[in-house]
Amino acid sequence: MGQSNSHKYTMPHLNGFTAAVILVVLFLFATVLVFGSNIGKVLGFLLLPLVLYGFTRFRVVQPNTALVGTRFGQYAGILSQSGFFWLLPFYNTISVSLKTGNYVTATLKVNDASGTPIEIAAAIVYHIDNPAAAVLDVENAHNFLQVQSEGALRVLATHHPYTNDGAAESLTGHSDRILEQFRRMVQERVEIAGISIDETRFTHLAYAPEIAQAMLRRQQAEAVILARQTLVRGAIGMAAGTVEELERRGIVNMTEPEKARLVTSMMTVLLSEENASPVLNVSGD
């Protein structure tokens, strides 16, 4: 049966306390008939089994639980109200929890968009929104969610790089948008099972062990290069500012070779990782 609005109509039922009063009255009436005339005995013996069967039709529906009913192999509606009820004869029911659940995928090893092997896992918060679909349209809604969510996670990881390469959203740099995309992907896949996805988040995201050390060294090298570039730009600005300020104030008049030696010495001092002691030879007028 495909998912449709017909999955959500209410199964026929009576208030359990009202039905209990009616059945007790019928039971007393049948008991009186049994001890009456011959015709009354026949009617009493026919009525008693029906009344006793009626006492087996009571159901207690707990909060955040729904009953999915079938009758002679046909879908017969759901009962999602909590309380004490009496169901019509020949209705079979299956209880479905509507409570919010949490599923954490296995740690998957996949290649990202750049072909780099990574490990990824995610947590999915969900609840059953359509209990009839969860019972009638799939074999096991929770197992269905597990398989579909791991499939969606694999697809997601292969369409995005682990880190930002400047041309695409990365798993580490754009997690909010990517997690929303992942939520929609899972929702589309589990719609048939009557499941609603509330939230998704990554619980594990890392390079695969065999390349983790190499990628760490690469990241460290890139960080060193960026730091050096920043230092060089700062040192150039300071050296140029020093020469300009000396000439503007008329402290010294330097030839081009002297300016070059001054800049070289300043760059050595500013960029050296050791304690440098340059000799500055600046001549006056």
Side-chain angles (χ1 to χ4, degrees), residues 188-283:
E188 291 175 359
R189 292 168 178 244
V190 300
E191 193 78 28
I192 188 175
I195 297 174
S196 178
I197 305 300
D198 301 321
E199 180 188 356
T200 56
R201 59 184 179 275
F202 294 138
T203 57
H204 179 77
L205 184 59
Y207 288 112
E210 62 268 24
I211 67 163
Q213 290 299 322
M215 299 307 295
L216 177 60
R217 290 194 295 269
R218 173 186 170 185
Q219 291 176 346
Q220 291 173 337
E222 291 175 348
V224 170
I225 291 172
L226 289 175
R228 286 292 184 181
Q229 290 174 344
T230 301
L231 287 173
V232 169
R233 286 195 296 268
I236 291 173
M238 292 178 65
T242 300
V243 172
E244 181 182 351
E245 187 68 15
L246 288 172
E247 292 186 336
R248 186 181 67 81
R249 295 189 180 187
I251 298 174
V252 291
N253 290 323
M254 292 181 291
T255 62
E256 292 301 321
E258 290 172 338
K259 292 180 182 179
R261 286 195 297 272
L262 175 61
V263 170
T264 300
S265 298
M266 291 189 65
M267 295 289 287
T268 301
V269 173
L270 295 172
L271 297 179
S272 176
E273 295 183 358
E274 304 294 337
N275 291 328
S277 301
V279 177
L280 301 181
N281 183 15
V282 179
S283 63

Side-chain angles (χ1 to χ4, degrees), residues 34-259:
V34 167
F35 293 99
S37 62
N38 291 334
I39 297 179
K41 289 181 179 180
V42 174
L43 294 176
F45 281 117
L46 291 176
L47 185 58
L48 273 176
L50 296 178
V51 174
L52 293 176
Y53 172 72
F55 279 107
T56 67
R57 304 304 300 161
F58 290 103
R59 298 290 186 276
V60 176
V61 182
Q62 301 294 338
N64 287 320
T65 304
L67 297 181
V68 179
T70 58
R71 184 183 57 184
F72 303 121
Q74 298 292 321
Y75 171 61
I78 63 174
L79 183 57
S80 57
Q81 299 172 327
S82 60
F84 181 51
F85 302 100
W86 185 83
L87 304 182
L88 297 179
F90 310 114
Y91 277 72
N92 295 321
T93 60
I94 299 175
S95 179
V96 179
S97 174
L98 305 181
K99 297 177 182 178
T100 299
N102 188 62
Y103 170 65
V104 179
T105 69
T107 299
L108 307 178
K109 185 176 179 181
V110 297
N111 291 335
D112 68 359
S114 63
T116 304
I118 64 172
E119 292 183 342
I120 188 170
I124 300 169
V125 181
Y126 69 99
H127 69 276
I128 301 295
D129 181 60
N130 189 336
V135 171
L136 302 176
D137 291 345
V138 294
E139 187 68 27
N140 185 300
H142 302 286
N143 290 343
F144 187 80
L145 168 69
Q146 295 175 13
V147 173
Q148 295 302 320
S149 59
E150 291 185 3
L153 186 59
R154 287 185 181 276
V155 173
L156 180 80
T158 59
H159 282 75
H160 295 280
Y162 178 81
T163 57
N164 195 341
D165 59 3
E169 291 186 339
S170 67
L171 295 171
T172 55
H174 299 82
S175 58
D176 290 341
R177 288 196 292 269
I178 290 179
L179 284 173
E180 176 58 25
Q181 179 186 356
F182 177 49
R183 190 195 67 79
R184 293 196 301 267
M185 290 173 62
V186 178
Q187 183 64 72
E188 291 175 359
R189 292 168 178 244
V190 300
E191 193 78 28
I192 188 175
I195 297 174
S196 178
I197 305 300
D198 301 321
E199 180 188 356
T200 56
R201 59 184 179 275
F202 294 138
T203 57
H204 179 77
L205 184 59
Y207 288 112
E210 62 268 24
I211 67 163
Q213 290 299 322
M215 299 307 295
L216 177 60
R217 290 194 295 269
R218 173 186 170 185
Q219 291 176 346
Q220 291 173 337
E222 291 175 348
V224 170
I225 291 172
L226 289 175
R228 286 292 184 181
Q229 290 174 344
T230 301
L231 287 173
V232 169
R233 286 195 296 268
I236 291 173
M238 292 178 65
T242 300
V243 172
E244 181 182 351
E245 187 68 15
L246 288 172
E247 292 186 336
R248 186 181 67 81
R249 295 189 180 187
I251 298 174
V252 291
N253 290 323
M254 292 181 291
T255 62
E256 292 301 321
E258 290 172 338
K259 292 180 182 179

Side-chain angles (χ1 to χ4, degrees), residues 22-35:
I22 296 173
L23 288 174
V24 168
V25 171
L26 290 175
F27 177 79
L28 294 175
F29 177 68
T31 303
V32 171
L33 290 178
V34 167
F35 293 99

